[in-house]
Amino acid sequence: MSISVTVAEASDLARENAVFRKVVRRVVPFLILCYIFSYLDRVNVGFAKLQMSADLGFSEAAYGLGAGLFFIGYFLFEVPSNLILQRVGARTWIARIMITWGIVSASFMFVTNETTFYVLRFLLGAAEAGFYPGVILYCTYWFPSHRRARVIAMFMSAIPVAGIFGNPLSGWIMDRFHGTNGWQGWQWMFLLEAIPAVIIGVVTLFYLDNGVRSAKWLSDEEKDIVERAIAEDAAHQSVHGRVLDAFREPKVWLMCLIYFCFVMGQYALTFWMPTFVQSTGIEGNLAIGVLSAVPFLAALVAMNLFGRSADKRRERRWHLVIPALMGAVGFSLAASWSGSTALSLAALSFAAAGVLTCAPLFWSLPTAFLGGTAAAAGLAVINSVGNLAGFVSPYMIGSLKDTTGSTTLPMYVLALSLVVGAAAVLTTKKHVVNR
């Protein structure tokens, strides 16, 4: 009897694995494509800075402030956006987000002064608000928690992919099209890199499904398997119900602190990587773009290895603490080795491998205890508060760079932030998050 039960259980597990592989193939690559262009349009201002700051007379602090204002708009509209997504459906709302952010991103080609730069960065954040936590929420519709870290790591591979291909692309566009039609290279970059977001936004209306039941590419049996796994997982979640439940939950605010610390490092890399590389003596936008892609290659490998390991072992905390400390060490070494391109690039690669691995692994923590309407609100609260670091980080770096003339002190501050985040992770309870 025990043998037959074991064989039956093995057969059920094999069937379940096959179904979820099918879901991954259908859902995840398209979400990755969406996020690649989302992230590229969010951070390509880091490359535009190489020409735009000189053309328009921006100081380092002015650039940092403008880069960070994106996250103020993001913060203010994040929770409402995620609640609307839950109400109207992922397909319609994600399409709306992508189309509007593409239009706003293209509008940066018309920036002539600091005021228009600030306004457009704020509007870009407002337009994109809800996309990232919306996708995280969307993943909870399709995957139980023990399958989610790997899936989110795959989705967030879009960040290093955007860096690997986007940095050289941005550098090439700025060099190749500079002066064409009387426009600067950075103006062409904003226009050309915004077009795919609008196109994919339209495609989203026809491709994406709002949930399991509306998926015509799954049989009824396959839908039952997915929904049963999701229901079993939801039974372990401790926070459900109303929107206010998320705001009253202490664990949500702990997650905000942890994510804030990690985002400090993430956006330091994505907004300032071209400047970091340029400061080592590299000239030429294409050369800077190619070298800036190297740390993102290291991150792409690391985040997927850690994601697979976390799901296989069903362990979350140390799989998050170790990359955070890697990032801290990487930033510290980069500060010490700023005079050497090779050593600085090696240190930044180690930092990127750690910092960018933190984000996908982090989201397995709050999704382990948040459910229902509280999940829509809670995930948005965590993402919006945490992403305020996207305002603090670039502005802090710009201000300290103006004051000290180097990026050494900012890098030590970033390292300290990651250490604080790692310590906060260890205050979470194993039985809550390790599922």
Side-chain angles (χ1 to χ4, degrees), residues 334-359:
S336 302
W337 296 341
S338 58
S340 166
T341 298
L343 292 177
S344 182
L345 202 61
L348 288 171
S349 296
F350 197 67
V355 169
L356 297 184
T357 294
C358 288

Side-chain angles (χ1 to χ4, degrees), residues 71-87:
F71 296 96
I72 302 300
Y74 204 75
F75 171 78
L76 293 175
F77 292 95
E78 187 88 319
V79 174
S81 181
N82 226 34
L83 294 174
I84 293 172
L85 181 146
Q86 190 186 42
R87 182 178 295 272

Side-chain angles (χ1 to χ4, degrees), residues 14-342:
R15 177 60 174 156
E16 180 179 306
N17 288 338
V19 172
F20 278 105
R21 282 195 297 270
K22 184 176 181 179
V23 175
V24 168
R25 288 194 300 268
R26 169 73 185 195
V27 173
V28 177
F30 185 75
L31 294 177
I32 292 174
L33 183 65
C34 292
Y35 199 36
I36 286 173
F37 289 105
S38 161
Y39 208 80
L40 181 60
D41 287 344
R42 180 188 302 186
V43 303
N44 59 8
V45 68
F47 242 95
K49 173 184 178 291
L50 300 178
Q51 285 183 349
M52 185 172 67
S53 289
D55 290 345
L56 303 180
F58 290 176
S59 67
E60 299 289 337
Y63 163 74
L65 176 60
L69 278 171
F70 169 94
F71 296 96
I72 302 300
Y74 204 75
F75 171 78
L76 293 175
F77 292 95
E78 187 88 319
V79 174
S81 181
N82 226 34
L83 294 174
I84 293 172
L85 181 146
Q86 190 186 42
R87 182 178 295 272
V88 305
R91 178 176 58 197
T92 301
W93 199 243
I94 289 177
R96 192 284 305 164
I97 290 172
M98 295 188 66
I99 292 169
T100 53
W101 97 49
I103 293 171
V104 175
S105 186
S107 300
F108 275 83
M109 65 182 294
F110 301 114
V111 169
T112 57
N113 53 48
E114 291 179 8
T115 300
T116 53
F117 180 53
Y118 296 159
V119 170
L120 284 174
R121 285 296 294 177
F122 176 86
L123 292 177
L124 186 65
E128 194 179 330
F131 175 78
Y132 181 82
V135 170
I136 300 300
L137 177 65
Y138 188 64
C139 286
T140 68
Y141 299 165
W142 294 94
F143 302 100
S145 60
H146 65 275
R147 297 180 183 271
R148 211 173 291 145
R150 180 184 175 189
V151 168
I152 295 176
M154 292 170 64
F155 166 66
M156 292 198 66
S157 296
I159 295 178
V161 169
I164 292 166
F165 294 103
N167 283 354
L169 175 64
S170 296
W172 178 79
I173 290 174
M174 287 170 62
D175 283 344
R176 171 66 179 80
F177 288 89
H178 184 67
T180 303
N181 200 40
W183 294 347
Q184 302 297 315
W186 59 268
Q187 293 176 298
W188 279 108
M189 184 202 68
F190 280 126
L191 174 63
L192 296 178
E193 292 184 356
I195 292 172
V198 177
I199 294 173
I200 296 171
V202 174
V203 173
T204 300
L205 291 169
F206 300 94
Y207 184 86
L208 212 60
D209 297 291
N210 284 327
V212 176
R213 276 296 130 192
S214 60
K216 296 179 180 179
W217 43 274
L218 287 176
S219 67
D220 288 340
E221 179 191 0
E222 290 170 333
K223 292 176 183 178
D224 290 340
I225 290 173
V226 174
E227 289 181 331
R228 183 166 57 250
I230 298 298
E232 291 173 356
D233 188 58
H236 298 284
Q237 293 167 335
S238 58
V239 184
H240 295 266
R242 299 172 301 171
V243 171
L244 290 177
D245 292 339
F247 291 89
R248 294 167 177 165
E249 174 56 49
K251 290 193 291 289
V252 169
W253 297 106
L254 175 61
M255 296 297 112
C256 289
L257 170 64
I258 294 170
Y259 197 48
F260 184 95
C261 292
F262 294 161
V263 170
M264 282 285 289
Q266 177 181 329
Y267 284 110
L269 285 170
T270 51
F271 282 131
W272 287 91
M273 183 71 79
T275 300
F276 291 156
V277 173
Q278 185 186 50
S279 68
T280 66
I282 301 300
E283 297 180 358
N285 293 318
L286 182 57
I288 292 171
V290 171
L291 291 177
S292 296
V294 173
F296 293 104
L297 280 168
L300 181 63
V301 174
M303 65 197 307
N304 283 284
L305 288 176
F306 272 92
R308 287 173 181 268
S309 176
D311 275 353
K312 181 179 180 180
R313 292 169 173 78
R314 298 201 181 190
E315 197 288 324
R316 309 299 175 190
R317 301 194 309 162
W318 285 104
H319 279 82
L320 190 51
V321 168
I322 291 172
L325 296 179
M326 286 171 57
V329 171
F331 278 126
S332 298
L333 291 176
S336 302
W337 296 341
S338 58
S340 166
T341 298

